[in-house]
């Protein structure tokens, strides 16, 4: 796997990451969603540099300009519900992309510290020969990302796969590195060292879905 950790170089990305982590600033859910969206835009821009481009000519009012545009058919797939703001950031740049949505959540059985990933809702176009961008803001254990990818397989074989996350734990990064093909790309804005006993990233930021859309009742 090709791992691209954007935080290895200082940029304006640092500010957006700091704000979604800050326990006081993150209470503003609209600002939290917008910062996730901004981070998605930055990751999407960096990822776009690896795509295939074709030459075109554009006629301006004063002449002809020769340039290059992406020739890739893109499908954006986000994991509900936390992935929605990240998806919007990606869609801001790939505005002609097809879209897929999937629900994947942690189902805790008797022990609150153990869980399985349950996939229920899925809407997806054909992936055959296309570029799949799979987005999940928090790459904790990596199990949700893998479960989602497995659920998408009946929809065709993509030409290339890009994973996009905002914050990940090293354990989750290692997991997807082990379980995805070598030619897969992971684009991530920050990598933290640890997970706690409940599988949350430390120091992380908390529950991205709750921060973006409000707390949920557990069932």
């Amino acid at each position: 796997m090709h791992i691209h950790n954007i935080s290895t170089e200082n940029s304006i990305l640092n500010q957006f990451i700091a704000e979604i982590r800050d326990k006081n600033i993150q209470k503003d859910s609209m600002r939290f969603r917008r910062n996730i969206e901004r981070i998605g835009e930055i990751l999407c821009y960096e990822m776009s540099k690896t795509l295939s481009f074709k030459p075109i000519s554009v006629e301006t009012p004063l002449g002809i300009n020769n340039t290059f545009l992406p020739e890739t058919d893109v499908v954006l797939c986000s994991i509900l519900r936390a992935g929605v703001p990240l998806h919007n950031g990606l869609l801001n740049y790939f505005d002609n992309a097809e879209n897929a949505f999937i629900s994947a959540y942690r189902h805790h059985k008797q022990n609150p510290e153990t869980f399985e990933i349950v996939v229920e809702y899925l809407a997806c176009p054909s992936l055959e020969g296309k570029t799949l961008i799979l987005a999940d803001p928090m790459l904790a254990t990596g199990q949700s990302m893998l479960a989602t990818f497995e659920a998408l397989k009946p929809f065709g074989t993509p030409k290339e796969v890009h994973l996009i996350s905002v914050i990940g734990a090293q354990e989750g990064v290692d997991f997807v590195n082990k379980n995805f093909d070598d030619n897969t790309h992971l684009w991530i804005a920050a990598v933290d060292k640890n997970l706690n006993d409940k599988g949350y990233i430390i120091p992380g930021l908390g529950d991205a879905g709750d921060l973006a859309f409000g707390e949920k009742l557990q069932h």
Side-chain angles (χ1 to χ4, degrees):
M1 173 179 281
H2 306 278
I3 299 173
H4 311 270
N5 182 359
I6 310 302
S7 67
T8 55
E9 295 182 349
N10 288 326
S11 71
I12 191 62
L13 176 66
N14 295 19
Q15 177 176 329
F16 304 144
I17 292 292
E19 289 187 2
I20 62 173
R21 290 186 190 270
D22 190 299
K23 67 178 184 180
N24 295 312
I25 296 176
Q26 66 177 205
K27 293 177 182 178
D28 183 341
S29 59
M30 185 171 69
R31 187 170 179 179
F32 182 86
R33 292 192 301 270
R34 180 62 183 121
N35 279 331
I36 294 290
E37 187 175 334
R38 286 167 164 169
I39 294 166
E41 292 171 347
I42 292 172
L43 293 171
C44 191
Y45 168 75
E46 294 294 335
M47 187 221 70
S48 71
K49 299 175 183 179
T50 68
L51 300 179
S52 298
F53 285 75
K54 61 182 178 182
I56 70 156
S57 296
V58 177
E59 184 176 357
T60 80
L62 301 176
I64 300 295
N65 172 256
N66 297 315
T67 187
F68 295 86
L69 293 183
E71 61 176 356
T72 305
D73 293 324
V74 172
V75 178
L76 305 176
C77 180
S78 294
I79 301 175
L80 301 173
R81 63 182 170 149
V84 172
L86 183 58
H87 190 102
N88 289 338
L90 304 177
L91 195 57
N92 286 344
Y93 280 18
F94 288 113
D95 47 327
N96 292 320
E98 296 179 277
N99 296 270
F101 295 94
I102 187 169
S103 71
Y105 67 92
R106 296 178 176 184
H107 175 62
H108 297 268
K109 296 183 178 179
Q110 296 180 348
N111 186 348
E113 295 180 2
T114 61
F115 57 86
E116 63 178 356
I117 302 299
V118 177
V119 174
E120 289 186 340
Y121 173 80
L122 173 58
C124 184
S126 170
L127 300 176
E128 191 66 37
K130 299 176 183 178
T131 294
L132 172 63
I133 302 176
L134 184 54
D136 189 6
M138 307 302 287
L139 182 62
T141 65
Q143 294 180 42
S144 294
M145 196 76 86
L146 181 61
T148 298
F149 183 67
E150 291 295 326
L152 293 174
K153 285 185 175 180
F155 294 87
T157 303
K159 179 178 67 174
E160 53 186 337
V161 178
H162 296 264
L163 312 180
I164 291 188
S165 290
V166 175
I167 297 176
Q170 188 60 54
E171 179 179 325
V173 173
D174 293 341
F175 180 84
V176 295
N177 187 28
K178 178 181 178 182
N179 287 280
F180 280 81
D181 291 342
D182 291 342
N183 60 350
T184 305
H185 290 259
L186 169 65
W187 304 86
I188 193 163
V191 178
D192 293 349
K193 292 183 178 180
N194 301 316
L195 291 173
N196 65 13
D197 292 339
K198 295 183 178 180
Y200 280 90
I201 301 169
I202 303 297
L205 53 76
D207 189 306
D210 286 356
L211 290 168
F213 299 110
E215 293 186 5
K216 57 188 176 296
L217 294 177
Q218 300 291 343
H219 66 279

